[in-house]
Amino acid sequence: MTKLSFLDLVPVTDTGSIAQSLANAADLARHAEALGYERYWVAEHHGMAGIASAATSVVLAHIGQATSTIRIGAGGIMLPNHAPMVIAEQFGTLEALFPGRVDLGLGRAPGSDGIVARALRRNLASDERQFPQDVVELQAFLAGDEQLGIRAVPGEGTHVPLWILGSSLFGAQLAAMLGLPYAFASHFAPDALDEALDIYRRNFKPSAQLSEPYAAAAFNVFAADTREEAELLASSQQQAFVALRTGNPGKMKPPLAGYKDSLPPNARAILDHVLQCSAVGTADDVAAGLKAFVERTGVDEVIVASSMYDPEARKHSLTLTMEAGKSL
């Protein structure tokens, strides 16, 4: 069976609170663990009213405390926002709390806009062009490399497994060069998916962490007992994407029947393109979508993305998705 994992942005609804969203994330993680999902990742985003995962390592501590066996991790940490030593300390602490369960996925995007990036970093001397060097420095801190002349405590000697995340060819090239697992953000940026996976596999160089390529890709799933219900549930995420693309992001809105059909043709086309790596429908529909996606990509793992307004509907969607995944 192809492994299934879950990516959470910890959505905040228009009638909810951040505290409730964090409680929902812990509940969902316990549910995913019971169902047999491989890992539960949380993504770093900043300055967005509808996302509660900005303090990613803190949220992961909360998730880790609520679970016992599922792997937890960042999908990902936007490394240009941070000094590598700080991330080594944070994830070294998580590894001490939850030994053998922690992943560290790394991206080079800011996780927001330039104004927020400047507020996070105080200046922009650290930027995405330094990302490869920052990844190597982070590896050295986690290994306890004495040549650094400084120790990351906690962190040193933990060898927390690193992943490279990406939505372009850059991350694929870097992951291959460093011999690290690679995860592609096809749930919102599908264009370079096939080429990136090909580049990663062709150029992969074995490392101390990984002897052969290991690739994952994200896939949106909105599953329900009927197609009509699944399409309704998906409309909250559709509204969020349109709001983001039109410069008006906010809290997650309730499902809206007929939302997609109400959009002008150009907006529908954008939505169809952005969300082309998706399955919306019953367990059988999701099984067919997952099967086609895995056959197309050959990935070792599918990272399910599924933001919904109703937490119970989201849990049921995860249940149906796992049922569908067992057919792979």
Side-chain angles (χ1 to χ4, degrees):
M1 175 182 168
T2 303
K3 292 179 180 178
L4 293 182
S5 293
F6 191 76
L7 174 65
D8 194 5
L9 271 62
V10 193
V12 184
T13 68
D14 61 353
T15 58
S17 66
I18 290 174
Q20 186 59 56
S21 294
L22 292 168
N24 291 341
D27 185 47
L28 190 63
R30 283 190 294 267
H31 186 66
E33 180 177 78
L35 291 169
Y37 282 82
E38 178 73 11
R39 63 191 91 239
Y40 194 101
W41 279 3
V42 175
E44 176 188 347
H45 291 274
H46 297 281
M48 296 186 182
I51 298 176
S53 55
T56 311
S57 60
V58 180
V59 176
L60 288 174
H62 172 62
I63 297 298
Q65 193 64 39
T67 55
S68 58
T69 58
I70 194 170
R71 296 193 66 85
I72 59 172
I77 289 292
M78 301 298 106
L79 194 53
N81 293 337
H82 312 278
M85 182 176 174
V86 172
I87 298 304
E89 291 173 339
Q90 291 178 3
F91 279 78
T93 301
L94 288 169
E95 177 63 23
L97 291 169
F98 314 108
R101 294 176 56 201
V102 178
D103 301 319
L104 176 48
L106 302 169
R108 65 185 182 123
S112 189
D113 56 27
I115 296 174
V116 173
R118 189 179 298 275
L120 284 166
R121 306 174 198 174
R122 307 301 293 176
N123 63 70
L124 294 179
S126 175
D127 61 32
E128 64 182 34
R129 290 170 293 182
Q130 295 177 324
F131 180 62
Q133 296 95 316
D134 287 346
V135 173
V136 171
E137 183 180 339
L138 177 54
Q139 279 184 310
F141 276 121
L142 291 171
D145 190 336
E146 294 181 356
Q147 295 184 29
L148 289 170
I150 187 171
R151 302 170 64 188
V153 181
E156 65 175 12
T158 58
H159 297 280
V160 173
L162 302 185
W163 288 65
I164 299 298
L165 313 182
S167 58
S168 68
L169 306 183
F170 180 89
Q173 294 164 342
L174 181 62
M177 181 179 69
L178 297 178
L180 296 176
Y182 178 58
F184 193 88
S186 36
H187 61 306
F188 73 89
D191 287 347
L193 171 62
D194 301 296
E195 187 177 2
L197 291 175
D198 180 60
I199 287 173
Y200 171 65
R201 291 171 177 136
R202 279 193 291 108
N203 297 295
F204 181 85
K205 296 179 181 178
S207 68
Q209 180 177 327
L210 197 63
S211 61
E212 57 186 25
Y214 189 93
F219 187 75
N220 297 294
V221 178
F222 302 92
D225 294 330
T226 67
R227 290 183 183 178
E228 293 74 18
E229 183 183 1
E231 289 170 358
L232 179 63
L233 293 171
S235 67
S236 291
Q237 184 62 57
Q238 292 167 352
Q239 292 176 72
F241 268 117
V242 170
L244 182 63
R245 290 301 176 101
T246 55
N248 189 35
K251 295 183 177 181
M252 177 165 277
K253 292 181 171 54
L256 184 61
Y259 172 73
K260 187 176 174 182
D261 292 336
S262 73
L263 296 172
N266 62 327
R268 286 202 302 274
I270 291 172
L271 201 57
D272 286 339
H273 179 75
V274 169
L275 299 178
Q276 63 184 270
C277 292
S278 302
V280 182
T282 65
D284 287 342
D285 296 323
V286 171
L290 284 172
K291 183 174 184 291
F293 186 68
V294 171
E295 288 179 348
R296 168 189 168 185
T297 61
V299 290
D300 303 284
E301 188 170 329
V302 176
I303 301 175
V304 175
S306 182
S307 289
M308 292 183 181
Y309 191 83
D310 180 359
E312 291 304 313
R314 202 177 186 207
K315 287 169 66 176
H316 187 50
S317 180
L318 255 68
T319 299
L320 295 175
T321 302
M322 181 55 72
E323 290 177 7
K326 290 177 181 177
S327 68
L328 295 175

